[in-house]
Amino acid sequence: MTEPVRGTRISVDVNGEIHERDVEARRLLVHFLRDDLDLTGTHVGCDTGNCGACTVIVDGVAVKSCMMLAVQADGASVETVEGLAGNGELHPLQQAFSSFHALQCGYCTPGMLMSAKHLLDNNPEPTEGEIRRAIQGNICRCTGYVNIVEAIAATARGEVSG
Amino acid sequence: MLLAPVEYARPSSVAEAVRLLGAHDGARALAGGQTLTNVMKARAAAPDVLVDLNGLAELRAISRTSDGGLELGAMATLTEVTRSSEVAETRPIIAQVASQIADLQVRNRGTVGGNICSNDPTNHLPPLMSALGATMTILGADGERAVPAVDFFLGVYTTAVAPGELLTKITLPATHDRRDGFASVTIGKDGTCIVNAAASVHDGQAAIALGCVAAVPVLLASASDEDAVRSAVRGAKLDPPSDVHASAEYRLHLAEVVAVRAVAEAST
């Protein structure tokens, strides 16, 4: 794609499944996930890169999908909240969020879970400070974060099973 | 928010990126996109063509120069800088400051070059690079030129990088026992900056760059004792902006405070 194009066909691995779609160059990754693939677990919160509700993991790296173009995900592997549960069982982080009351309205939860998964993938035994720093880019206006931090810490300690 | 229609190109070399930037009037380089995407949502920028630099590994390298300095590829992400052993060995202050920018997701995509080229007065890297005496390498159709930081930052959101040109790397000189410091007051931890200061101290002399008090970083030279730093900041006759977060008077007060803190950190 060395000459400018208005749109192109992209192929993206989302939660282990390859999706091919024609997308406009202006399409944001979050809209590709929600509107083209109907994966509405990834939320649009602030749409200005502050709140983190749209956090997904692209090639192993946590990013805010409202600040990345869908065409930039061509050939990439994307993990969204829909990929966490498997075989009808919640992911341990999801179970912990439920057990520890780590959500109220739930709007920030998909992004919070993906940031937490990214943390534990890279640092299986985080300190409380490391947990708080890892979710710094995810805003929750309900919980006050205490139960979210406890849920992530309990998951890291293996105290929660999915 | 949907972006306005835009064309997109993914060059396979730096030379091709420069050709694309020069060939289209409304072309703009897309680095990490952590500022540009949002500016486009708000319709404050309306590029016709985005030239995506993300595939260009040659712009990502972080290396030590033969004379003991440091070279940062413009597309090195802030996360890469915070983890770089070359940065830790030569100018650890750069990693320390990069780790305070926004949050993890933003640092994972946001780049050194993007932070410098957007030259938002609240950004941390423009004053830091000014105090450290960095040199920016700019590539255009007519070749490469090296611009010292003091001549690089021209105004709010504007730098010496002209249309059709690209910032390719940032070069830091060897330290020669020089020590660096940084201090800021932000809105919340690692939030938007109210005033920041970077300092580089050698042999009792400090180079200080103040951010967020003018359109571009304000560079001062001073002896490194507290009284001298305070009088250097007072003598700069700053006229900082007022906004909802801080009045001009408060910024003026903070400029002195953060300058003293940055120099103190560099002096310990």
Side-chain angles (χ1 to χ4, degrees):
Chain A
M1 210 179 314
T2 53
E3 288 308 314
V5 292
R6 265 292 157 91
T8 189
R9 190 161 188 83
I10 62 170
S11 171
V12 187
D13 176 332
V14 182
N15 302 323
E17 194 180 328
I18 304 285
H19 297 270
E20 288 195 22
R21 292 287 191 284
D22 291 316
V23 294
E24 285 186 286
R26 64 169 166 166
R27 197 146 191 77
L28 298 171
L29 178 59
V30 67
H31 293 137
F32 171 74
L33 294 169
R34 290 179 55 83
D35 301 339
D36 292 347
L37 305 187
D38 206 23
L39 293 171
T40 54
T42 303
H43 289 169
V44 178
C46 66
D47 201 18
T48 55
N50 290 289
C51 81
C54 67
T55 300
V56 299
I57 300 175
V58 178
D59 288 335
V61 176
V63 306
K64 294 179 177 178
S65 59
C66 81
M67 293 193 290
M68 181 171 171
L69 302 175
V71 289
Q72 295 184 294
D74 187 21
S77 294
V78 179
E79 298 169 59
T80 72
V81 70
E82 286 90 347
L84 289 181
N87 300 323
E89 294 212 348
L90 293 178
H91 185 281
L93 276 167
Q94 291 173 307
Q95 185 58 55
F97 270 54
S98 172
S99 304
F100 284 81
H101 306 288
L103 61 136
Q104 288 177 33
C105 86
Y107 202 89
C108 72
T109 309
M112 202 66 86
L113 285 167
M114 298 317 287
S115 284
K117 178 175 189 295
H118 178 261
L119 169 67
L120 298 186
D121 284 349
N122 292 285
N123 179 4
E125 294 176 25
T127 63
E128 182 185 332
E130 287 169 337
I131 293 172
R132 288 184 176 275
R133 205 161 153 67
I135 59 169
Q136 191 181 12
N138 295 78
I139 294 173
C140 172
R141 290 284 95 122
C142 301
T143 64
Y145 302 98
V146 172
N147 290 355
I148 294 174
V149 173
E150 284 188 6
I152 298 170
T155 308
R157 290 194 302 266
E159 291 172 8
V160 187
S161 55
Chain B
M1 178 80 75
L2 293 176
L3 301 183
V6 64
E7 289 190 277
Y8 172 86
R10 192 185 300 146
S12 52
S13 69
V14 173
E16 199 167 73
V18 170
R19 180 186 63 76
L20 282 161
L21 289 168
H24 303 274
D25 278 347
R28 219 163 145 177
L30 174 62
Q34 305 302 283
T35 300
L36 183 57
T37 316
N38 295 317
V39 168
M40 288 173 67
K41 287 175 196 167
R43 304 299 192 262
D48 299 319
V49 178
L50 291 174
V51 179
D52 189 355
L53 308 177
N54 280 277
L56 303 176
E58 50 191 311
L59 291 180
R60 276 199 125 86
I62 300 174
S63 58
R64 297 185 67 160
T65 59
S66 53
D67 64 353
L70 177 69
E71 234 170 55
L72 301 171
M75 283 296 290
T77 66
L78 298 167
T79 294
E80 285 163 352
V81 167
T82 62
R83 293 179 183 163
S84 158
S85 57
E86 289 85 358
V87 173
E89 286 160 12
T90 52
R91 289 326 260 271
I93 192 73
I94 300 174
Q96 183 191 315
V97 173
S99 74
Q100 299 169 27
I101 295 174
D103 54 59
L104 182 72
Q105 295 98 310
V106 170
R107 291 191 295 272
N108 282 343
R109 282 194 73 76
T111 64
V112 175
N115 191 282
I116 289 170
C117 285
S118 60
N119 196 25
D120 186 308
T122 66
N123 282 359
H124 282 344
L125 296 187
L128 181 64
M129 294 304 165
S130 300
L132 267 49
T135 300
M136 319 299 179
T137 299
I138 300 172
L139 184 65
D142 300 330
E144 207 171 70
R145 61 200 174 98
V147 180
V150 66
D151 299 323
F152 182 84
F153 301 105
L154 300 182
V156 177
Y157 309 137
T158 55
T159 68
V161 181
E165 290 189 321
L166 194 61
L167 172 70
T168 55
K169 65 184 178 194
I170 300 101
T171 308
L172 287 307
T175 53
H176 300 300
D177 298 329
R178 184 168 280 282
R179 298 181 63 115
D180 311 315
F182 183 85
S184 64
V185 173
T186 57
I187 304 158
K189 185 158 171 53
D190 302 346
T192 303
C193 183
I194 294 175
V195 178
N196 57 20
S200 191
V201 174
H202 182 56
D203 216 6
Q205 291 298 309
I208 305 165
L210 293 164
C212 229
V213 292
V216 297
V218 176
L219 199 55
L220 304 171
S222 155
S224 60
D225 63 281
E226 180 175 338
D227 288 343
V229 172
R230 284 187 186 277
S231 63
V233 175
R234 280 189 214 124
K237 304 273 182 262
L238 299 171
D239 183 21
S242 271
D243 60 27
V244 291
H245 302 299
S247 65
E249 294 73 22
Y250 183 52
R251 278 203 167 83
L252 208 51
H253 167 73
L254 286 183
E256 214 173 297
V257 172
V258 294
V260 167
R261 286 180 186 168
V263 172
E265 185 191 357
S267 305
T268 53

